[in-house]
């Protein structure tokens, strides 16, 4: 039979010289696709899939070009050397024009320092005009933010003001009628500005908010030099990496943005933050493909990771935690001095630190990576990096870091035998103590996960955990030794005279109690009044509650605490939920009412924090899921509708009065019985001074734990001095 006629090809056969120059040179099949043929694209993708050798960089796009065709501006008979000469002349002319424009303002050539006598337009956070800077993931070239921006006809050489800072929301155009200056001069003045970023003044505002309000990501950056580098031209090599700036915008939007949308399910979406999250992720994706700018992009990744954590976006939190830990290891950040050339293994991507500031920046980047890994593993997940593989010394004090003081390295690392009980004064501040507290929590997580990995049965409440290998030593460290060893100036949490609360120190006094609950919770047995694990958990819960009560008595904004505080509140509420169930089962209505009040106080703390950071709302919803059984069992009327006060001893409530039963059946808050002396308080707290290293930490000091303990007595404060700007 004759063969069926073949289907004509979708693309006609190429004529002579229609294939790209690269395919013709290598004698490969070419589809002549524009701007790059399929063969060259595949070759380029294969090339960038592996990191480039040290000192080299992959091309940013496929090396694919075609013969000049009719309609293109460059004629085929143009001499390349002549074309180069013409371009050099144009560059010289542009340089001379730029020098003339600088004579109007000798302060800086950065776009943020244009001074004038009248208002100017503000350009937006994104524009379709111009190209993306060379270091943008979307391409390269000169950036022209807006071709039609208007400024005054003359620049005032003696003006000392700066562009007016507008709304804290996503940038919008400034409006007004002004005389115009020729666009080429504007293009020169603003050349190099990334149009995906807010305008310079708005960006300055977000950076200021970030360093003042963010309790996490700001720790990795050297603030003085970072702020100084913002005065450089955007094309200057010392200018901050765009990935860091985008990550800062996303993080700072929590306190500054006005583009927040609350979805029907209660989740919070910030349009402005979402834009800068996507831009940061674009840089991370490019770095993963090319290996370029890996250290600044890793710092941006850390800032973005804490943003995801505060948002409660757990899948992204886990993915970014894994990326950070794995990316830091080839950089040799886990070695002493963050660099090592010893051994036959391949060298690190990073060269040795240039100076002490660079060295300390690497240390802090590494330790913030480890801290994030420990915190996201609290639920019982394995850590990304084992303690035995961490040789980096602890960081310097923050004051020494920011002042670039020439001090010797911290003598302590994770191999120091007395790391958690000895705190050298010259190398100890609240951040370093918080780092130690989180590492102690990491030890608890390691113990639980490794104990359960090969266990034949789950832990039992009838089991004596102190008979297990290593449990007693870990319990002593978590519940007693660390808190009792704190230096005198760190034993109490105070508000300073200028109304500032050290959030790191506040967490130092919270994290060990949360770790105690995590360690002992599997062995809780409320029916045994001599059960040490029960005493430990009850005492830790009371300490967490007391710390929250003291904080809520003031005008402090608790939404600026470290986000891990919500996990501490949740763990305390879990213990109270178990205790409430026990009281319901034995029919002790009076104590049940007291515990209901404490549970709802912790719920209110989470909801308050969730008003700005969704992690609080998510933890409260998770707690409600655990409370389903006791809500069904209780005889209390509407137990979840308790009016939780804004401050424990005030009359303002979070729920409307119409929803609060008036028949006396609702669960009350704990009473405010007065204590004659601070030592009689469950936590030894007076005023806002929190002493967590109480002698009640011993196993025998918590007898009669089931006795309902009233809250701490109220102490008057000057509420007019907020610790945080609202």
């Amino acid at each position: 039979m004759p063969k069926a006629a073949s289907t004509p090809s979708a693309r006609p056969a190429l004529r002579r010289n229609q294939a790209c120059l690269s395919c013709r040179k290598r004698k490969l099949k070419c589809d002549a696709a524009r701007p790059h043929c399929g063969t060259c694209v595949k070759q380029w993708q294969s090339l960038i899939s592996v990191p480039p050798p040290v000192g080299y960089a992959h091309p940013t796009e496929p090396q694919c070009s075609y013969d000049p065709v009719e309609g293109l501006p460059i004629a085929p008979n143009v001499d390349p050397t002549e074309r180069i000469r013409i371009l050099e002349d144009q560059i010289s002319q542009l340089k001379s024009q730029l020098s003339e424009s600088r004579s109007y303002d000798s302060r800086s050539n950065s776009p943020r320092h244009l001074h004038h006598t009248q208002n100017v337009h503000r350009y937006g956070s994104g524009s379709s005009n111009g190209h993306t800077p060379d270091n943008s993931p979307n391409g390269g070239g000169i950036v022209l933010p807006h071709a039609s921006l208007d400024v005054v006809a003359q620049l005032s050489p003696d003006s000392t003001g700066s562009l007016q800072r507008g709304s804290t929301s996503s940038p919008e155009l400034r409006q007004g009628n002004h005389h115009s200056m020729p666009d080429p001069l504007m293009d020169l003045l603003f050349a190099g500005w990334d149009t995906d970023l807010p305008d310079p003044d708005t960006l300055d505002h977000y950076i200021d908010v970030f360093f003042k309000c963010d309790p996490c990501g700001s720790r990795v950056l050297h603030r003085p030099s970072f702020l100084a580098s913002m005065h450089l031209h955007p094309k200057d090599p010392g200018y901050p990496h765009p990935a860091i700036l985008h990550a800062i915008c996303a993080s700072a939007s929590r306190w500054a943005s006005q583009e927040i949308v609350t979805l029907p399910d209660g989740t919070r979406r910030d349009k402005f933050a979402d834009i800068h999250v996507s831009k940061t992720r674009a840089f991370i994706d490019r770095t993963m493909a090319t290996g370029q700018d890996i250290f600044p992009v890793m710092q941006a990744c850390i800032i973005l990771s804490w943003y995801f954590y505060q948002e409660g976006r757990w899948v992204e939190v886990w993915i970014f935690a894994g990326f950070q830990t794995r990316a830091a290891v080839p950089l040799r950040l886990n070695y002493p001095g963050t660099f090592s050339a010893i051994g036959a293994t391949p060298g690190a991507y990073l060269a040795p630190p240039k100076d002490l500031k660079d060295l300390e920046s690497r240390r802090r980047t590494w330790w913030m990576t480890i801290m994030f890994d420990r915190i996201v593993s609290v639920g019982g997940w394995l850590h990304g990096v084992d303690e035995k593989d961490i040789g980096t010394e602890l960081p310097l004090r923050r004051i020494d870091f920011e002042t670039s003081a020439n001090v010797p390295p911290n003598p302590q690392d994770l191999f120091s035998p007395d790391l958690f009980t000895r705190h050298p004064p010259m190398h100890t501040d609240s951040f370093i103590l918080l780092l130690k507290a989180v590492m102690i929590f990491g030890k608890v997580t390691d113990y639980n996960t490794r104990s359960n990995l090969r266990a034949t049965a789950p832990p039992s409440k009838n089991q004596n955990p102190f008979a297990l290998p290593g449990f007693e030593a870990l319990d002593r460290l978590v519940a007693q030794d660390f808190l009792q060893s704190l230096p005198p100036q760190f034993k109490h949490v105070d508000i300073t005279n200028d109304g500032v609360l050290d959030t790191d120190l506040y967490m130092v006094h919270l994290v060990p109690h949360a770790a105690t609950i995590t360690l002992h919770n599997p062995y809780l047995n409320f029916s045994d009044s001599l059960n040490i694990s029960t005493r430990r958990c009850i005492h830790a819960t009371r300490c967490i509650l007391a710390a929250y009560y003291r904080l809520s008595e003031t005008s402090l904004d608790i939404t600026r605490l470290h986000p891990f505080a919500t996990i501490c509140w949740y763990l305390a509420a879990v213990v109270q939920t178990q205790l409430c169930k026990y009281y319901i089962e034995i029919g002790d209505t009076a104590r049940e009412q007291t515990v209901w009040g404490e549970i709802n106080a912790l719920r209110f703390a989470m909801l308050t924090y969730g008003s700005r950071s969704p992690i609080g709302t998510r933890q409260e919803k998770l707690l409600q899921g655990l409370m389903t059984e006791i809500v069904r069992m209780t005889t209390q009327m509407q137990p979840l509708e308790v009016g939780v006060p804004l401050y424990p001893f005030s009359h303002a409530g979070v729920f409307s009065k119409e929803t609060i039963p008036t028949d006396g059946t609702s669960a009350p808050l704990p009473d405010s019985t007065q204590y004659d002396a601070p030592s009689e308080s469950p936590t030894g707290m007076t005023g806002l001074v929190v002493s967590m290293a109480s002698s009640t930490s011993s196993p025998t000091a918590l007898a009669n734990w089931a006795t309902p303990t009233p809250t701490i007595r109220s102490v008057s404060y000057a509420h007019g001095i907020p610790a945080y700007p609202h």
Side-chain angles (χ1 to χ4, degrees):
M1 293 179 62
K3 296 183 178 179
S6 59
T7 303
S9 174
R11 179 186 292 273
L14 299 181
R15 295 192 301 271
R16 182 179 180 82
N17 294 340
Q18 276 193 312
C20 73
L21 299 177
S22 179
C23 290
R24 283 157 52 188
K25 181 178 180 180
R26 294 181 293 171
K27 298 183 178 180
L28 299 176
K29 189 173 182 179
C30 181
D31 58 8
R34 303 300 177 99
H36 309 299
C37 73
T39 303
C40 290
V41 170
K42 291 180 180 179
Q43 293 283 345
W44 177 73
Q45 291 175 341
S46 176
L47 176 65
I48 67 173
S49 63
V50 295
V54 178
Y56 295 87
H58 289 316
T60 58
E61 60 182 13
Q63 304 299 300
C64 181
S65 60
Y66 294 88
D67 287 335
V69 296
E70 184 178 357
L72 292 182
I74 300 180
N77 58 352
V78 174
D79 185 4
T81 57
E82 177 65 18
R83 180 62 179 169
I84 293 174
R85 188 190 63 79
I86 295 175
L87 292 175
E88 289 178 343
D89 291 342
Q90 293 177 353
I91 292 174
S92 299
Q93 295 176 5
L94 292 174
K95 286 183 176 180
S96 62
Q97 295 180 36
L98 181 60
S99 299
E100 294 175 1
S101 68
R102 285 174 176 171
S103 63
Y104 291 103
D105 185 1
S106 61
R107 289 185 60 188
S108 172
N109 62 350
S110 171
R112 69 188 63 253
H113 289 294
L114 290 178
H115 302 284
H116 44 79
T117 58
Q118 300 181 24
N119 293 335
V120 300
H121 287 291
R122 176 192 301 166
Y123 53 89
S125 61
S127 172
S128 59
N129 298 327
H131 302 285
T132 311
D134 292 339
N135 53 2
S136 170
N138 301 321
I142 299 295
V143 175
L144 307 178
H146 278 281
S148 59
L149 288 177
D150 296 331
V151 294
V152 293
Q154 294 181 351
L155 296 175
S156 175
D158 55 352
S159 174
T160 58
S162 61
L163 292 176
Q164 180 180 2
R165 176 172 298 163
S167 170
T168 57
S169 63
S170 182
E172 299 175 356
L173 292 177
R174 291 179 182 151
Q175 298 179 353
N177 296 323
H178 310 288
H179 299 288
S180 298
M181 182 174 286
D183 283 344
L185 178 57
M186 287 300 302
D187 295 340
L188 288 170
L189 291 173
F190 286 92
W193 187 257
D194 186 351
T195 57
D196 291 327
L197 291 169
D199 65 87
D201 283 328
T202 303
L203 181 60
D204 282 343
H205 175 61
Y206 278 105
I207 292 173
D208 181 61
V209 169
F210 172 74
F211 280 110
K212 286 184 177 179
C213 301
D214 187 272
C216 305
S218 59
R219 304 293 191 267
V220 303
L221 300 176
H222 185 259
R223 180 176 180 176
S225 62
F226 184 88
L227 296 179
S229 65
M230 289 300 300
H231 294 275
L232 300 174
H233 191 275
K235 287 292 185 180
D236 192 287
Y239 194 76
H241 195 280
I244 296 179
L245 298 178
H246 284 297
I248 287 176
C249 288
S251 179
S253 67
R254 186 177 314 282
W255 295 277
S257 181
Q258 296 177 356
E259 299 186 14
I260 301 174
V261 177
T262 303
L263 302 181
D265 61 352
T267 56
R268 169 187 176 274
R269 304 299 295 181
D270 186 340
K271 295 181 180 179
F272 179 74
D274 288 343
I275 292 174
H276 292 283
V277 167
S278 65
K279 296 300 179 182
T280 308
R281 297 188 73 158
F283 281 103
I284 295 173
D285 292 341
R286 188 186 73 168
T287 297
M288 293 175 65
T290 64
Q292 295 179 353
D293 304 323
I294 189 169
F295 184 71
V297 171
M298 183 177 174
Q299 290 181 312
C301 182
I302 293 174
I303 298 173
L304 192 61
S305 298
W306 285 109
Y307 169 80
F308 288 144
Y309 187 82
Q310 291 178 296
E311 291 288 309
R313 293 158 64 168
W314 301 122
V315 175
E316 290 162 302
V317 165
W318 297 330
I319 292 174
F320 273 68
F323 169 75
Q324 291 170 201
T325 53
R326 291 313 309 163
V329 171
L331 300 184
R332 298 293 181 92
L333 298 182
N334 62 318
Y335 277 71
T338 69
F339 178 81
S340 175
I342 301 175
T345 57
Y349 264 104
L350 299 179
K354 296 178 296 184
D355 49 32
L356 294 177
K357 182 184 69 177
D358 187 27
L359 171 61
E360 185 61 19
S361 296
R362 296 187 186 186
R363 283 197 196 110
R364 287 180 167 257
T365 299
W366 167 254
W367 281 113
M368 285 302 295
T369 298
I370 296 301
M371 178 183 290
F372 187 75
D373 177 57
R374 264 51 185 175
I375 286 180
V376 302
S377 302
V378 161
W381 314 109
L382 295 174
H383 294 144
V385 178
D386 191 272
E387 283 187 3
K388 298 178 181 178
D389 300 320
I390 301 176
T392 312
E393 59 277 355
L394 294 182
L396 300 176
R397 296 182 303 176
R398 185 174 184 178
I399 186 173
D400 294 330
F401 175 48
E402 293 191 347
T403 58
S404 300
N406 188 12
V407 298
N410 195 318
Q412 292 187 316
D413 55 32
L414 292 187
F415 295 97
S416 301
D418 53 357
L419 172 65
F420 300 107
T421 56
R422 190 179 69 87
H423 314 287
M426 295 300 297
H427 295 91
T428 298
D429 63 3
S430 57
F431 172 72
I432 296 175
L433 290 175
L434 175 59
L435 179 59
K436 292 182 178 181
V438 171
M439 294 306 296
I440 290 176
F441 208 135
K443 286 180 175 291
V444 173
T445 302
D446 283 337
Y447 183 87
N448 288 344
T449 54
R450 291 169 182 173
S451 298
N452 297 332
L453 189 61
R454 295 178 177 86
T456 57
S460 171
K461 65 179 182 179
N462 298 321
Q463 184 179 5
N464 179 17
F466 288 88
L468 300 176
F471 186 93
E472 183 175 359
L474 183 58
D475 168 72
R476 185 183 305 109
L477 173 63
V478 174
Q480 299 181 43
D481 292 350
F482 175 69
L483 288 172
Q484 292 177 357
S485 68
L486 293 179
Q489 66 270 32
F490 298 108
K491 282 187 177 291
H492 307 286
V493 181
D494 297 314
I495 297 181
T496 61
N497 293 331
D498 53 351
V500 175
L501 175 71
D502 189 338
T503 57
D504 285 344
L505 185 57
Y506 186 84
M507 293 304 301
V508 169
H509 289 276
L510 238 61
V511 172
H513 296 298
T516 299
I517 295 174
T518 304
L519 180 63
H520 286 276
N521 190 271
Y523 310 100
L524 279 178
N525 186 0
F526 294 104
S527 60
D528 181 6
S529 61
L530 299 179
N531 185 281
I532 297 178
S533 292
T534 303
R535 299 175 185 176
R536 287 277 198 258
C537 290
I538 292 295
H539 173 69
T541 299
R542 288 173 178 169
C543 289
I544 294 174
L545 271 167
Y548 166 67
Y549 287 156
R550 286 307 163 201
L551 196 61
S552 63
E553 285 180 344
T554 69
S555 59
L556 302 180
D557 182 5
I558 69 170
T559 63
R560 298 191 183 180
L561 290 174
H562 195 286
F564 192 54
T566 60
I567 306 299
C568 299
W569 296 331
Y570 172 79
L571 292 172
V574 168
V575 174
Q576 294 300 87
T577 301
Q578 295 169 301
L579 181 60
C580 186
K581 179 183 177 182
Y582 171 73
Y583 285 147
I584 294 174
E585 290 175 344
I586 66 175
D588 193 337
T589 306
R591 292 176 180 177
E592 179 194 348
Q593 289 180 345
T594 301
V595 174
W596 270 117
E598 294 171 343
I599 291 174
N600 283 287
L602 292 170
R603 285 182 55 222
F604 177 69
M606 298 179 206
L607 291 172
T608 303
Y609 198 92
S611 64
R612 178 162 285 162
S613 300
I615 185 177
T617 305
R618 292 178 182 271
Q619 290 303 118
E620 194 275 336
K621 288 183 178 179
L622 184 60
L623 177 63
Q624 284 197 34
L626 294 177
M627 296 169 59
T628 303
E629 184 177 4
I630 64 172
V631 171
R632 186 178 64 252
M633 295 171 57
T634 185
T635 59
Q636 304 292 324
M637 296 296 295
Q638 299 178 327
L640 299 182
E641 299 292 336
V642 176
V644 180
L646 296 176
Y647 305 107
F649 309 102
S650 72
H651 299 288
V654 65
F655 300 104
S656 61
K657 293 183 179 180
E658 290 76 9
T659 64
I660 303 175
T662 58
D663 56 1
T665 58
S666 61
L669 286 172
D671 58 44
S672 55
T673 303
Q674 303 289 322
Y675 286 93
D676 295 331
S679 60
E680 298 177 10
S681 167
T683 55
M685 296 170 56
T686 57
L688 197 66
V689 180
V690 184
S691 176
M692 301 299 185
S694 174
S695 60
T696 56
S697 297
S698 62
T700 60
L702 288 173
N704 301 322
W705 59 264
T707 303
T709 304
T711 55
I712 317 304
R713 62 189 175 94
S714 177
V715 179
S716 60
Y717 293 98
H719 291 270
I721 306 178
Y724 313 100
H726 293 286

